[in-house]
Amino acid sequence: MGTWLTDTFGLSVPVVAAPMAFVSGGKLTAAVSTAGGLGMLGAGSAVSADWIRTEGAIAAASGKPYGVGLMAWSVKDHPEHLEAVLELKPALVSLSFGDYSPYVEQLRAAGIVVTTQAGTVADAREAIDAGVDAIVVRGAEAGGHGRNEVGTLPLLQAILELTDLPVLAGGGISGPRGLAAVLAAGAAGGWIGTAFLTCEEALTPEPSRQRLLEADETDTVYGTVFDAASRAGWPDEFGGRALRNTFYNRWEGREDALKSDDEGHAQYVAASRAADPTAASLYAGQGVGALHKTTTAAEVLSNLATYKTYLQAAAQLEG
């Protein structure tokens, strides 16, 4: 039951733990890879090149393949991030959200597998033209940044029809049933983030962890409020799915005003530092309702590995 993903990286479970800024440090990355998946370091725009090197070394110490996620719009302003990744030479680099095409061949020449996240069929066509090795279908259900136009299954089917490149599926995969569904459709694996948010090895602060455990599948919202408040530089075309809170409710529909509101910016920054879930961003997908307790990455992978049961059940129905 191997796929391109498991065969390429020597995995026992066809799962990539999506790179999540302020969540996926070296410890979580290594834990996922050690447990049979492919861990990914979330290198956000706010980190330094030295952070990437340090956390990458922690991830690499497991001796297992791992990856790094970068944002193209940030790499343009922080070329040292790409330089640090090239020094580390991880097995996989995900480069998304902006013009990533100038960096693809440089990474591939270093022996690194390159993928990007696509939120529409047009995104996938651009990825093919850029020469990536694989495409991540990111559906609207997914947490964090991306597009909100198309759900995971419709987009997955369309992109599988478009290309023979390996395709990974992300968005709304909260357990083994979801993983089995995308594999049955033809995906090479699952690109899963939300399920790892409350892992012991994650960088998630305790107040954020508790709020995530309390949330259900209806508590997320997609928009640019938190980006307007943070002033980090995210392009408006890529909003983010996060838990709705009082800060979001206050500013929803007034994002342009928030971009220049110093008081709103200061409140957001203070809340982020304090991990105050009423005002800080807590990026999570619609699968957040499946989070019920703090677990280890190994326990999450062990649960996902039971996807075979559901694939076998489907095969018996077909027979």
Side-chain angles (χ1 to χ4, degrees), residues 127-180:
I128 294 165
D129 291 342
V132 301
D133 297 295
I135 296 173
V136 178
V137 169
R138 184 205 174 276
E141 303 97 319
H145 288 84
R147 301 194 190 278
N148 195 44
E149 279 81 357
V150 191
T152 302
L153 282 177
L155 186 60
L156 175 61
Q157 294 170 84
I159 293 179
L160 285 169
E161 291 291 333
L162 176 70
T163 181
D164 291 330
L165 285 175
V167 174
L168 306 175
I173 305 172
S174 58
R177 294 177 187 272
L179 181 57

Side-chain angles (χ1 to χ4, degrees), residues 71-166:
M71 287 91 68
W73 65 264
S74 178
V75 170
K76 182 179 178 181
D77 296 328
H78 300 285
E80 68 274 13
H81 287 184
L82 183 65
E83 293 168 7
V85 170
L86 286 166
E87 289 174 20
L88 288 169
K89 290 188 178 179
L92 176 71
V93 166
S94 171
L95 193 55
S96 310
F97 312 127
D99 184 10
Y100 54 85
S101 59
Y103 316 114
V104 172
E105 286 309 315
Q106 189 177 2
L107 288 161
R108 295 187 76 233
I112 299 169
V113 176
V114 180
T115 189
T116 191
Q117 297 184 51
T120 62
V121 171
D123 284 348
R125 289 196 177 101
E126 290 180 5
I128 294 165
D129 291 342
V132 301
D133 297 295
I135 296 173
V136 178
V137 169
R138 184 205 174 276
E141 303 97 319
H145 288 84
R147 301 194 190 278
N148 195 44
E149 279 81 357
V150 191
T152 302
L153 282 177
L155 186 60
L156 175 61
Q157 294 170 84
I159 293 179
L160 285 169
E161 291 291 333
L162 176 70
T163 181
D164 291 330
L165 285 175

Side-chain angles (χ1 to χ4, degrees), residues 1-2 6 11-14 176-177 179-180 183 303-316:
M1 300 180 72
T6 57
L11 312 181
S12 59
V13 188
R177 294 177 187 272
L179 181 57
L183 290 169
N303 179 47
L304 288 167
T306 64
Y307 74 91
K308 297 175 184 178
T309 301
Y310 303 104
L311 281 181
Q312 290 166 354
Q316 289 172 0

Side-chain angles (χ1 to χ4, degrees), residues 2-300:
T3 69
W4 169 87
L5 180 64
T6 57
D7 293 346
T8 300
F9 302 106
L11 312 181
S12 59
V13 188
V15 166
V16 177
M20 298 176 286
F22 308 112
V23 175
S24 307
K27 189 175 180 181
L28 178 60
T29 302
V32 171
S33 292
T34 300
L38 186 71
M40 293 281 285
L41 195 68
S45 61
V47 303
S48 66
D50 283 341
W51 184 93
I52 295 173
R53 292 186 182 94
T54 299
E55 297 298 316
I58 294 171
S62 69
K64 301 290 186 179
Y66 73 99
V68 179
L70 296 170
M71 287 91 68
W73 65 264
S74 178
V75 170
K76 182 179 178 181
D77 296 328
H78 300 285
E80 68 274 13
H81 287 184
L82 183 65
E83 293 168 7
V85 170
L86 286 166
E87 289 174 20
L88 288 169
K89 290 188 178 179
L92 176 71
V93 166
S94 171
L95 193 55
S96 310
F97 312 127
D99 184 10
Y100 54 85
S101 59
Y103 316 114
V104 172
E105 286 309 315
Q106 189 177 2
L107 288 161
R108 295 187 76 233
I112 299 169
V113 176
V114 180
T115 189
T116 191
Q117 297 184 51
T120 62
V121 171
D123 284 348
R125 289 196 177 101
E126 290 180 5
I128 294 165
D129 291 342
V132 301
D133 297 295
I135 296 173
V136 178
V137 169
R138 184 205 174 276
E141 303 97 319
H145 288 84
R147 301 194 190 278
N148 195 44
E149 279 81 357
V150 191
T152 302
L153 282 177
L155 186 60
L156 175 61
Q157 294 170 84
I159 293 179
L160 285 169
E161 291 291 333
L162 176 70
T163 181
D164 291 330
L165 285 175
V167 174
L168 306 175
I173 305 172
S174 58
R177 294 177 187 272
L179 181 57
V182 298
L183 290 169
W191 185 271
I192 301 175
T194 300
F196 294 97
L197 283 173
T198 56
C199 284
E200 292 178 4
E201 301 91 345
L203 298 175
T204 310
E206 189 58 29
S208 303
R209 194 183 302 269
Q210 290 305 312
R211 176 66 188 97
L212 288 162
L213 292 173
E214 294 167 359
D216 66 30
E217 75 283 357
T218 67
D219 284 345
T220 68
V221 65
Y222 177 91
T224 61
V225 167
F226 297 125
D227 295 325
S230 72
R231 302 181 184 177
W234 271 97
D236 284 343
E237 68 176 301
F238 303 113
R241 182 170 296 283
L243 296 188
R244 181 183 286 277
N245 59 22
T246 54
F247 184 89
Y248 191 96
N249 290 340
R250 175 187 172 194
W251 287 103
E252 187 175 16
R254 298 194 295 136
E255 291 84 355
D256 286 342
L258 179 56
K259 290 178 182 179
S260 58
D261 189 291
D262 291 340
E263 181 181 349
H265 171 64
Q267 181 186 0
Y268 176 82
V269 170
S272 298
R273 290 173 177 168
D276 176 3
T278 67
S281 56
L282 271 179
Y283 289 105
Q286 291 179 341
V288 69
L291 299 177
H292 302 301
K293 61 180 180 179
T294 296
T295 61
T296 64
E299 288 171 326
V300 174

